[in-house]
Amino acid sequence: MDTNKGRLTREGIRIYEEADFAGMHAAGRLAAQILDEIAPQVFPGQTTGEIDRLITEMVAAAGAVSATIGYKGYQHASCISVNHVVCHGIPGDKLLKDGDILNIDVTVIVDGWFGDTSRMYVAGKPSVKSQRLIQVTHDALMLGIEAARPGNTFGDIGAAIQTFVESHRMSVVRDFCGHGLGRVFHAPPNVLHYGRSGTGPRLEEGMFFTIEPMVNLGRPETKVLADDWTAVTRDKSLSAQFEHSIGITADGCDIFTLSPGGLFHPTA
Ligand code: MF3
Ligand code: CO
Ligand code: CO
C-alpha cells in the first residue's frame, strides 16, 4: 500500500491518489465544455441572466450538479462578472453592450468531483486596452501553471503571476485567491496570485487546486457591493480573470479544465 497518498500535508492540503485524476478530468472537462458551448451566447443585447439559464440547462443535460446553486445562499449556476466587476457577479436582466468584457465562471460536480473554471468573453468588439488586459490575464494564468510542479512552492506560482502582470503595469487582486478542490469546492490552501518565490507550502504530486488570477487595469483594491456577492474594483477600472483546475503530477501538472474545443479563449 502506498501510505503517502490519501493523506493531508501539515498545511492541511490533501494528497489525492492517481486514480482520482480521472474523476477530476471528467468534472473539469464538463465545466470547460460548457464554457466552449456558451461562447456564441455572448453578444450585445443578450442578458447575463439568459446566459446563466442556458448554463443551468447544460449542467442538467449532462446529468451533473451545479456546485454554486445553494452554495452559501448563491442561487445561480454561474458567476458572470462584467467590466469592472472583479468576480462573483450575479447574472441578471442587464443587457450586454458592444465592447463589454465579461468573465463566466462555472463549477460543476460530476460523480462527487468538482470542476471549476472561468474565461473571459467579449460582447461585440473589444477595445484595444480590454484586449490587452484579457491577453495579459490569460498569459499570467498560464505562467502560474508552468510554475506548478513538484519541488516548487505556492509562492513560485504567485510570484510568476505577479511579476508578469506588474511588468505590464497592471495589478493583481489580493482580496480573492485560488483554492484547493477535489471532492470539496474550497479546501486548503489559499492559492495567492502574488508573493515571493520559495515561500509557502511545497507542491507535491496529488495536490488538486485552482489558479484563478484577477487582474485590474488600475489599482488592485476591491469592494463587495450591498448584495454581498458582487466584487468590483474600487477605482472602477476594468478587471479580467481566467481560472483552471489543475492536479500536480510527478513532473508538472495536468490541467483538468482545458477547452475540449481547443479554444484559447472564445473571443480571441
Ligand atoms: N467558482 C468560484 C471560484 O472560482 C466560486 C463561486 S462561489 C459562488 O471559486 F457562490 F459565488 F458561486
Ligand atoms: Co475557483
Ligand atoms: Co470558479
Side-chain angles (χ1 to χ4, degrees), residues 105 107 116-117 177-179 181 185-186 210-212 241 243-245:
D105 189 340
T107 310
D116 185 5
T117 184
C177 52
H179 49 93
L181 84 172
F185 196 171
H186 292 111
T210 73
I211 307 179
E212 46 182 302
Q241 179 179 28
E243 173 176 26
H244 275 310
S245 298

Side-chain angles (χ1 to χ4, degrees), residues 41-48 50-51 54 94-97:
Q41 294 298 328
V42 177
F43 50 81
Q46 174 67 293
T47 68
T48 56
E50 175 63 8
I51 292 171
L54 292 163
K94 240 185 76 183
L95 302 180
L96 294 174
K97 50 184 194 326

Side-chain angles (χ1 to χ4, degrees), residues 67-69 71-72 74-76 78-79 88 105-107 116-118 177 179 185-186 210 212 229 241 243:
T68 55
I69 297 175
Y71 178 78
K72 295 185 176 171
Y74 194 78
Q75 295 182 355
H76 304 272
S78 62
C79 296
H88 302 162
D105 189 340
V106 171
T107 310
D116 185 5
T117 184
S118 79
C177 52
H179 49 93
F185 196 171
H186 292 111
T210 73
E212 46 182 302
W229 283 106
Q241 179 179 28
E243 173 176 26

Side-chain angles (χ1 to χ4, degrees), residues 19-43:
D20 299 335
F21 279 73
M24 290 299 284
H25 271 291
R29 187 181 312 114
L30 175 62
Q33 184 188 328
I34 289 171
L35 291 188
D36 281 4
E37 287 174 4
I38 204 65
Q41 294 298 328
V42 177
F43 50 81

Side-chain angles (χ1 to χ4, degrees), residues 5 22 42 44 64 72-73 93 95 126 133 138 140 150 152 168 179 181 191 197 214 223-224 253 266:
K5 301 291 176 65
V42 177
K72 295 185 176 171
D93 298 335
L95 302 180
L133 171 65
H138 186 267
N152 272 2
H168 287 273
H179 49 93
L181 84 172
V191 180
S197 48
M214 286 139 277
K223 66 174 180 191
V224 175
C253 67

